[in-house]
């Protein structure tokens, strides 16, 4: 084993530890090494299908960008997810978009994740799950067939200052993020937001259990910590959908016409009302 300090590289990421022990993480070197897709527009139209060789190049570029997005660039997650969903049937316009995203990534290759030293106390910090969804703006591909009007979701999990629990501002440290297509067809914005919330909260609940286990090592014999993570690490949910907020915080279930959606919503309400999981 080797211990590194200051500036060093590990698993494709560059770490820079400052004098105050703050840490900045980037993927600058790997980003700048990605080569663009080599193709010629000529007289081709934007909707003309890409050749197999061009699609193979696109897979390589998009895969590299997706890895970088997962490591240190949450701002690239949507674009890479969108390109991944259409790469098997890519057309000229997708090749152009892929090279454009790559150009933007290279122009900002020094951008990364910043962990400020002393921003808050780890044991007192709260877990924050943020989610959002766009309704019926994407396309899903199954067996090379296009299925339009699909919805996209995004989530971010981070540790934050405990003052944020009461609606105040505070520093955060990013822990995880993702953007992807919602598997089920959503017939309304409310459905898309609800499904996006389910994805975000399920990941957040699992992450909080892990954090509680880390903190619980100090109080291994405390049975309350084993039965419920809520007293150990508070979990704040953030949404911009007022109707979803009102439904989940209503002490009486309102019900919906869609039984499948109602089950998902009741699962979210259970975290809030039965397990004291968090606050929305």
């Amino acid at each position: 084993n080797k211990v590194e300090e200051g500036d060093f590289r590990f698993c494709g990421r560059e770490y820079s530890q400052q004098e105050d022990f703050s840490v900045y993480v980037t993927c600058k070197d790997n980003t700048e090494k990605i080569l663009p897709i080599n193709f010629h527009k000529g007289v081709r139209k934007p909707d003309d299908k890409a050749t197999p060789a061009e699609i193979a190049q696109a897979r390589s570029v998009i895969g590299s960008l997706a890895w970088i997005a997962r490591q240190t660039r949450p701002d690239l997650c949507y674009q890479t997810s969108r390109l991944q969903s259409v790469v098997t049937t890519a057309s000229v316009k997708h090749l152009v978009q892929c090279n454009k995203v790559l150009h933007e990534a290279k122009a900002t290759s020094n951008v990364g994740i910043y962990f400020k030293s002393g921003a808050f106390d780890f044991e007192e910090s709260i877990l924050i799950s943020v989610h959002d969804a766009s309704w019926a703006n994407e396309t899903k591909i199954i067996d090379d067939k296009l299925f339009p009007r699909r919805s996209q979701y995004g989530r971010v999990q981070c540790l934050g200052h405990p003052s944020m629990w009461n609606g105040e501002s505070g520093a955060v440290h990013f822990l995880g993020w993702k953007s992807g297509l919602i598997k089920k067809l959503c017939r309304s914005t409310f459905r898309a937001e609800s499904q996006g919330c389910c994805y975000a909260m399920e990941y957040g609940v699992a992450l909080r259990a892990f954090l509680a286990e880390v903190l619980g090592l100090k109080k291994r014999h405390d049975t309350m910590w084993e039965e419920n993570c809520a007293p150990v690490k508070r979990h704040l949910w953030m949404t911009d959908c007022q109707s979803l907020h009102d439904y989940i915080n209503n002490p009486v279930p309102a019900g919906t016409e869609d039984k499948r959606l109602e089950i998902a919503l009741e699962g979210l309400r259970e975290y809030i009302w039965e397990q004291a999981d968090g606050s929305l």
Side-chain angles (χ1 to χ4, degrees):
N1 295 331
K2 183 179 180 181
V3 177
E4 299 276 5
E5 295 182 1
D7 298 339
F8 60 92
R9 181 180 171 86
F10 178 73
C11 290
R13 299 180 292 269
E14 295 88 26
Y15 292 81
S16 177
Q17 188 178 49
Q18 303 173 1
E19 292 183 359
D20 65 349
F21 301 106
S22 296
V23 177
Y24 194 57
V25 188
T26 65
C27 288
K28 179 178 175 65
D29 188 51
N30 279 358
T31 302
E32 295 177 350
K33 286 181 178 179
I34 303 174
L35 298 177
I37 303 171
N38 183 18
F39 72 100
H40 298 283
K41 290 184 181 179
V43 295
R44 301 166 72 184
K45 297 179 181 179
D47 290 327
D48 287 347
K49 185 172 177 58
T51 66
E54 291 169 343
I55 291 178
Q57 290 185 71
R59 286 182 184 276
S60 177
V61 174
I62 296 169
S64 298
L65 287 172
W67 184 87
I68 291 168
R70 291 194 300 270
Q71 301 303 311
T72 61
R73 296 293 300 271
D75 57 309
L76 297 177
C77 281
Y78 167 70
Q79 291 283 15
T80 55
S81 172
R82 187 169 182 269
L83 289 169
Q84 283 179 316
S85 68
V86 299
V87 67
T88 57
T89 58
S91 57
V92 173
K93 63 183 178 183
H94 298 127
L95 303 181
V96 173
Q97 180 64 20
C98 184
N99 280 347
K100 181 180 178 180
V101 175
L102 176 59
H103 175 76
E104 294 173 354
K106 286 187 173 184
T108 57
S109 60
N110 61 333
V111 173
I113 302 296
Y114 182 62
F115 299 94
K116 182 174 176 56
S117 176
F120 46 78
D121 181 81
F122 171 67
E123 295 191 10
E124 297 298 325
S125 65
I126 62 173
L127 177 63
I128 302 172
S129 291
V130 185
H131 76 91
D132 198 5
S134 64
W135 177 55
N137 292 325
E138 307 300 333
T139 300
K140 184 177 182 179
I141 299 177
I142 303 177
D143 296 331
D144 293 336
K145 295 180 180 179
L146 300 180
F147 293 84
R149 303 304 180 188
R150 299 292 169 154
S151 302
Q152 185 91 3
Y153 82 97
R155 64 163 176 82
V156 174
Q157 270 73 31
C158 50
L159 287 179
H161 194 282
S163 63
M164 299 182 70
W165 185 265
N166 298 317
E168 301 176 13
S169 61
V172 298
H173 287 171
F174 279 37
L175 297 180
W177 53 86
K178 183 178 181 179
S179 178
L181 281 176
I182 296 176
K183 296 180 180 179
K184 298 176 181 177
L185 180 64
C186 299
R187 296 179 175 84
S188 67
T189 302
F190 180 65
R191 295 170 191 250
E193 293 283 358
S194 299
Q195 291 298 327
C197 184
C198 287
Y199 288 133
M201 295 318 127
E202 287 172 358
Y203 184 88
V205 168
L207 180 58
R208 191 193 57 175
F210 168 76
L211 294 172
E213 177 66 20
V214 172
L215 292 170
L217 293 176
K218 295 182 178 180
K219 299 183 179 181
R220 188 180 296 274
H221 302 295
D222 190 333
T223 57
M224 179 187 70
W225 287 44
E226 296 176 0
E227 295 175 358
N228 192 347
C229 298
V232 186
K233 183 62 64 179
R234 291 179 295 176
H235 189 187
L236 176 65
W237 305 4
M238 290 189 176
T239 180
D240 63 350
C241 182
Q242 187 64 44
S243 56
L244 176 61
H245 171 277
D246 295 342
Y247 186 100
I248 295 178
N249 282 279
N250 189 345
V252 180
T256 66
E257 295 181 356
D258 186 338
K259 186 175 182 180
R260 180 188 298 173
L261 177 61
E262 184 175 341
I263 292 173
L265 289 167
E266 287 308 303
L268 294 172
R269 291 184 71 258
E270 182 180 57
Y271 286 132
I272 293 289
W273 292 98
E274 295 186 9
Q275 300 182 19
D277 181 86
S279 174
L280 180 66

